[in-house]
């Protein structure tokens, strides 16, 4: 023993590490192989069962989520009792078609059944040809639990095939029954989405024991009734399945083979999901695993001799050095790059690490710069929102109107001023609807017309479908103000036109005036720091074109912002490009 110890002490460090790694690793491999062979059967079975339970639970959640979409769709349609009125047939069919297209993954066919028996469907032509004999029964089902959603048992529909229906009565504002909305569920689509989630085979059952999913005759695990199409489970097997408790159980399947059954809890509709796994599935890989361990043990000893040596010499040491240098990294903004002295994977890893640090630093600088710029422009906007001279002159105008006993004009002017100030000072959101922005413009132009006369006119030509979309507050008002004081004011009157439409998925707003115009050179410079028009002290705000342009780009990106075109003596047009943004997108933080 002393000679062996002396021999080991005289070896080099790399050789010692090689011998140590070889002995320790070989010992661990043999221990692990022995333990794995003895425990493989139990582990495999438990793992498969746990996976099946997890998948069944997730599948049940997916089914609930999918059916929630159907319920939400019915609740939305139930608010549209106007669709049941005479003369709204085309609107009703178009509304059903839109709902069906949007929810085609779960809803197959939608119907509106009036009290007089008239039926509207999302596929009206098909319904007029082939009809649906189940609708009278579904109408009665909807009225059984008045005011709530009812769900039918599975049936065959001429319009939707193998399906089941959600039904809900619809009443008007006086609580008078207008009809029933019916949604036939796309069970084929639901089955296709559930099938990849479950091991081997499954069955989705209603509280009455009816099978919802379409069974596959090629499935050799479950016993089917002979000669039945579509396939139907044998009655004895279905009764066994109903009696199975929630959790993991055993049941006799086709050809008397035992199956493991994982059954879920019932959902809100009383549905339950059962996944089937053949018990032979748990053992089929064990023999091969045993043979693989024998072969792997021999091969592993040979490979281990070589790999342990290479690991000691060429891999372990540089990796440790690299990790130590990485551990010393605390601030990615101030860090020295690691030297690249190798051309192998370690060298490429070091180079990739240096590149990653550089990209992180660049992104941090860009993010910090953008945030600072955003804050700067927002502060500028808030500081210059209301020009005091505008208030002084407007109040002086109101005083003059009062002295002239023009009470109605005084009242209208004060109302417009109060609403305009309330609109500007409202800090609840940086966004308003286009309709609210245009309302602010109307109030602003009313005040200007009172002050300067009717020679300052304006026209609105905005697509009504755009009024619901969101826009940054005080986007159009500075542009109209600019057109008023720098375009038509020098001519002592003129017309400002505001137009809006949707072009290629982008909202385009145009502010046009027939004022004095500017040259092409000035138009090109209007959105740069070098160009700054003289601001009238009578303007409502100090917000300029550059501020509006930069705010839009900060929030929505470079593709959006202002474009200016002008012809001297003819007028100027400013085009605003913004993304289509709804109130829901704003709440979710989706800003284009």
């Amino acid at each position: 023993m002393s000679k062996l110890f002396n021999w080991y002490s005289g070896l080099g460090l790399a050789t010692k590490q090689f011998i140590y790694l070889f002995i320790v690793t070989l010992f661990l491999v043999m221990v692990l192989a022995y333990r794995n062979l003895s425990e493989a059967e139990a582990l495999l079975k438990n793992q498969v069962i746990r996976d099946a339970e997890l998948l069944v639970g997730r599948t049940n959640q997916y089914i609930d989520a999918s059916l929630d979409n159907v319920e939400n769709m019915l609740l939305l349609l139930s608010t549209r009792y106007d669709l049941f009125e005479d003369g709204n047939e085309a609107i009703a069919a178009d509304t059903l078609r839109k709902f069906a297209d949007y929810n085609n993954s779960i809803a197959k066919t939608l119907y509106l059944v009036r009290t007089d028996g008239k039926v509207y469907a999302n596929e009206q032509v098909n319904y007029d040809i082939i009809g649906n004999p189940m609708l009278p029964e579904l109408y009665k089902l909807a009225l059984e639990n008045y005011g709530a959603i009812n769900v039918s048992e599975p049936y065959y529909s001429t319009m939707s095939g193998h399906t089941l229906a959600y039904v809900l009565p619809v009443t008007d504002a006086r609580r008078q029954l207008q009809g029933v909305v019916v949604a036939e569920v796309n069970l084929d689509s639901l089955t296709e989405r559930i099938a990849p989630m479950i091991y081997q085979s499954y069955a989705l059952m209603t509280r009455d024991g009816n099978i919802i999913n379409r069974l596959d005759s090629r499935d050799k695990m479950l016993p089917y009734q002979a000669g039945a199409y579509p396939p139907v489970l044998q009655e004895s097997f279905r009764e066994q399945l109903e009696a199975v408790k929630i959790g993991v159980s055993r049941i006799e399947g086709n050809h008397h083979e035992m199956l493991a059954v994982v059954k879920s809890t019932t959902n809100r509709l009383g549905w339950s999901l059962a996944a089937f796994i053949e018990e032979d599935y748990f053992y089929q890989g064990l023999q091969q695993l045993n043979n693989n361990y024998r072969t792997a043990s021999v091969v592993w000893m040979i490979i281990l001799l070589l790999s342990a040596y290479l690991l000691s010499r060429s891999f372990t040491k540089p990796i440790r050095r690299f990790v130590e240098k990485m551990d010393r990294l605390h601030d990615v903004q101030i860090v020295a790059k690691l030297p690249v002295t190798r051309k192998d994977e370690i060298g490429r890893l070091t180079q990739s690490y240096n590149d990653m640090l550089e990209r992180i630093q660049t992104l941090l600088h860009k993010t910090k710069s953008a945030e600072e710029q955003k804050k700067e422009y927002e502060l500028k906007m808030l500081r210059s929102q209301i020009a005091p001279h505008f208030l002084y002159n407007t109040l002086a105008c109101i005083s003059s109107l009062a002295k002239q006993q023009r009470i109605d004009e005084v009242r209208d002017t004060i109302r417009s001023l109060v609403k305009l100030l309330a609109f500007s000072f409202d800090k609840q959101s940086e966004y308003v609807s286009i309709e609210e922005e245009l309302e602010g413009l109307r109030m602003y132009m009313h005040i200007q017309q009172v002050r300067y006369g009717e020679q300052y006119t304006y026209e609105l030509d905005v697509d009504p479908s755009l009024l619901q979309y969101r826009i940054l507050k005080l986007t159009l008002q500075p542009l109209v103000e600019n057109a008023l004081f720098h375009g038509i004011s020098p001519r002592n009157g003129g017309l400002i036109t505001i137009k809006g439409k949707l072009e290629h998925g982008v909202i385009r707003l145009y502010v046009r005036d027939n004022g004095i115009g500017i040259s092409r050179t000035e138009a090109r410079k209007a959105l740069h720091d070098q160009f700054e028009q003289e601001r009238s002290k009578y303007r409502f705000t100090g917000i300029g074109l550059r501020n509006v342009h930069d705010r839009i780009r900060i929030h929505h990106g470079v593709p959006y912002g202002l474009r200016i075109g002008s012809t001297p003596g003819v007028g100027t047009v400013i085009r605003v490009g913004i993304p289509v943004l709804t109130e829901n997108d704003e709440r979710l933080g989706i800003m284009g």
Side-chain angles (χ1 to χ4, degrees):
M1 180 63 69
S2 58
K3 291 182 178 180
L4 181 61
F5 179 80
N6 292 332
W7 173 78
Y8 181 79
S9 300
L11 297 176
L13 183 60
T15 305
K16 289 180 179 178
Q17 188 176 15
F18 157 73
I19 295 174
Y20 173 79
L21 287 174
F22 174 79
I23 295 175
V24 171
T25 308
L26 181 61
F27 174 77
L28 291 175
V29 169
M30 294 181 67
V31 172
L32 288 174
Y34 175 78
R35 290 182 61 85
N36 285 342
L37 285 173
S38 62
E39 298 177 3
E41 177 181 341
L43 290 175
L44 178 59
K45 184 174 182 178
N46 291 337
Q47 183 63 48
V48 172
I49 293 297
R50 285 196 299 268
D51 290 347
E53 289 178 315
L54 180 61
L55 286 173
V56 167
R58 290 181 177 176
T59 304
N60 221 15
Q61 293 176 0
Y62 168 77
I63 294 171
D64 279 342
S66 299
L67 299 180
D68 281 345
N69 291 337
V70 180
E71 293 183 359
N72 292 336
M73 181 172 55
L74 260 65
L75 291 174
L76 288 174
L77 286 172
S78 68
T79 63
R80 297 293 307 276
Y81 57 82
D82 59 300
L83 300 178
F84 291 81
E85 298 174 357
D86 292 330
N88 289 345
E89 291 83 358
I91 299 175
D94 184 63
T95 302
L96 292 177
R97 190 179 305 109
K98 290 180 179 179
F99 272 82
D101 291 342
Y102 186 76
N103 298 275
N104 59 8
S105 63
I106 187 63
K108 185 70 171 181
T109 310
L110 301 178
Y111 308 91
L112 295 179
V113 184
R114 301 198 325 185
T115 55
D116 60 0
K118 178 67 175 177
V119 178
Y120 307 129
N122 62 299
E123 297 182 359
Q124 191 67 40
V125 176
N126 291 342
Y127 174 80
D128 291 338
I129 296 174
I130 64 178
N132 189 340
M134 288 296 298
L135 288 182
E137 294 184 20
L138 297 176
Y139 189 93
K140 294 179 181 179
L141 177 64
L143 301 182
E144 289 178 1
N145 189 14
Y146 190 75
I149 295 176
N150 281 345
V151 184
S152 73
E153 288 294 309
Y155 63 91
Y156 182 81
S157 167
T158 55
M159 294 285 288
S160 305
H162 183 55
T163 185
L164 56 83
Y166 275 64
V167 293
L168 178 65
V170 179
T171 59
D172 60 15
R174 297 174 298 175
R175 309 300 296 175
Q176 297 295 319
L177 180 65
Q178 299 297 307
V180 171
V181 58
V182 179
E184 289 185 334
V185 176
N186 191 342
L187 288 184
D188 290 340
S189 176
L190 184 64
T191 300
E192 290 174 1
R193 295 193 176 198
I194 295 175
M197 303 181 184
I198 304 299
Y199 277 97
Q200 298 188 318
S201 185
Y202 76 99
L204 181 60
M205 301 168 293
T206 67
R207 60 164 56 92
D208 295 334
N210 293 318
I211 304 299
I212 296 176
N213 57 294
R214 186 181 294 276
L215 300 173
D216 191 350
S217 59
R218 295 171 297 179
D219 187 346
K220 304 303 181 182
M221 295 176 57
L222 307 182
Y224 299 103
Q225 296 182 16
Y229 187 84
V232 178
L233 291 176
Q234 292 181 4
E235 186 64 22
S236 60
F237 181 83
R238 193 172 67 84
E239 292 175 355
Q240 290 185 69
L241 193 56
E242 289 183 34
V244 168
K245 296 181 179 180
I246 295 172
V248 182
S249 305
R250 297 174 76 243
I251 192 172
E252 185 176 312
N254 203 17
H255 304 301
H256 304 289
E257 294 181 355
M258 298 305 299
L259 305 177
V261 184
V262 181
K263 190 174 183 180
S264 71
T265 57
T266 57
N267 62 14
R268 293 172 303 173
L269 300 178
W271 298 0
S272 60
L273 180 66
F276 305 96
I277 308 169
E278 290 180 320
E279 288 197 343
D280 291 341
Y281 175 84
F282 302 130
Y283 315 113
Q284 61 187 8
L286 293 181
Q287 185 60 40
Q288 183 63 36
L289 181 63
N290 191 18
N291 296 333
N292 289 342
Y293 267 117
R294 292 195 186 100
T295 304
S297 297
V298 176
V299 175
W300 180 253
M301 291 183 65
I302 298 174
I303 296 176
L304 191 59
L305 291 171
L306 180 62
S307 61
Y309 177 78
L310 295 177
L311 184 66
S312 301
R313 285 288 188 180
S314 304
F315 189 73
T316 308
K317 186 176 180 179
I319 285 293
R320 284 202 305 270
R321 288 181 178 176
F322 184 70
V323 171
E324 289 173 358
K325 292 178 180 178
M326 292 180 65
D327 289 341
R328 291 196 294 268
L329 176 61
H330 298 289
D331 187 357
V332 295
Q333 297 186 7
I334 305 174
V335 61
K337 293 183 178 180
L338 300 179
V340 181
T341 58
R342 302 168 63 103
K343 296 183 179 180
D344 55 9
E345 289 79 4
I346 302 299
R348 290 195 292 272
L349 180 61
T350 305
Q351 183 61 48
S352 298
Y353 174 77
N354 290 337
D355 294 341
M356 180 190 68
L357 284 180
E358 185 175 351
R359 289 194 294 271
I360 290 175
Q361 291 172 334
T362 301
L363 290 173
L364 287 174
H365 292 158
K366 288 183 178 180
T367 302
K368 184 177 180 181
S369 176
E371 288 294 328
E372 292 176 351
Q373 191 177 20
K374 178 180 178 180
K375 291 179 180 178
E376 179 183 350
Y377 281 112
E378 289 174 348
L379 287 174
K380 284 183 178 179
M381 187 194 75
L382 294 174
R383 291 169 182 165
S384 59
Q385 266 195 335
I386 305 300
H389 286 285
F390 175 85
L391 294 178
Y392 297 156
N393 286 276
T394 302
L395 294 175
C397 178
I398 294 173
S399 175
S400 175
L401 293 173
K403 291 178 181 179
Q404 300 175 40
Q405 300 297 315
R406 295 160 65 179
I407 304 303
D408 291 339
E409 294 182 40
V410 170
R411 185 184 299 109
D412 292 341
T413 306
I414 293 176
R415 185 182 296 112
S416 295
L417 179 61
V418 170
K419 290 182 178 180
L420 185 60
L421 292 176
F423 173 76
S424 302
F425 282 123
D426 183 11
K427 302 299 188 302
Q428 290 185 357
S429 175
E430 204 172 353
Y431 288 84
V432 295
S433 66
I434 294 179
E435 183 177 16
E436 292 172 327
E437 181 76 3
L438 294 178
E439 180 62 24
L441 280 180
R442 292 188 187 97
M443 295 181 290
Y444 173 77
M445 287 303 297
H446 176 263
I447 293 173
Q448 298 297 351
Q449 288 173 335
V450 170
R451 292 172 58 187
Y452 300 112
E454 294 296 332
Q455 67 267 28
Y456 297 97
T457 60
Y458 75 102
E459 293 180 355
L460 293 177
D461 183 15
V462 179
D463 188 343
S465 64
L466 302 181
L467 299 180
Q468 61 176 319
Y469 296 122
R470 310 293 284 176
I471 188 174
L472 285 169
K473 184 190 296 184
L474 294 178
T475 294
L476 293 178
Q477 189 274 334
L479 309 185
V480 172
E481 197 170 49
N482 184 77
L484 180 65
F485 287 103
H486 296 290
I488 65 177
S489 180
R491 284 190 169 182
N492 296 319
L495 172 65
I496 299 175
T497 304
I498 298 95
K499 294 185 177 182
K501 55 185 176 179
L502 187 65
E503 297 179 346
H504 306 294
V506 177
I507 295 176
R508 305 288 191 191
L509 300 172
Y510 299 87
V511 178
R512 185 188 305 273
D513 67 74
N514 58 354
I516 60 174
I518 57 177
S519 66
R520 291 185 178 180
T521 302
E522 291 176 323
R524 284 195 299 268
K525 294 180 179 179
L527 301 179
H528 294 82
D529 289 331
Q530 295 84 356
F531 183 87
E532 184 69 23
Q533 292 179 328
E534 180 183 355
R535 297 177 180 173
S536 170
K537 66 179 181 179
Y538 304 109
R539 293 177 63 175
F540 176 58
T541 72
I543 301 174
L545 301 183
R546 173 64 188 270
N547 185 284
V548 175
H549 179 65
D550 287 344
R551 285 177 65 221
I552 294 175
R553 288 199 165 192
I554 288 173
H555 284 80
H556 303 301
V558 176
Y560 305 101
L562 305 185
R563 297 292 175 87
I564 301 176
S566 184
T567 302
V570 176
T572 303
V573 59
I574 301 177
R575 188 190 75 182
V576 184
I578 59 174
V580 177
L581 179 66
T582 65
E583 188 174 0
N584 187 51
D585 295 332
E586 182 186 352
R587 287 196 299 266
L588 296 176
I590 304 172
M591 300 306 178

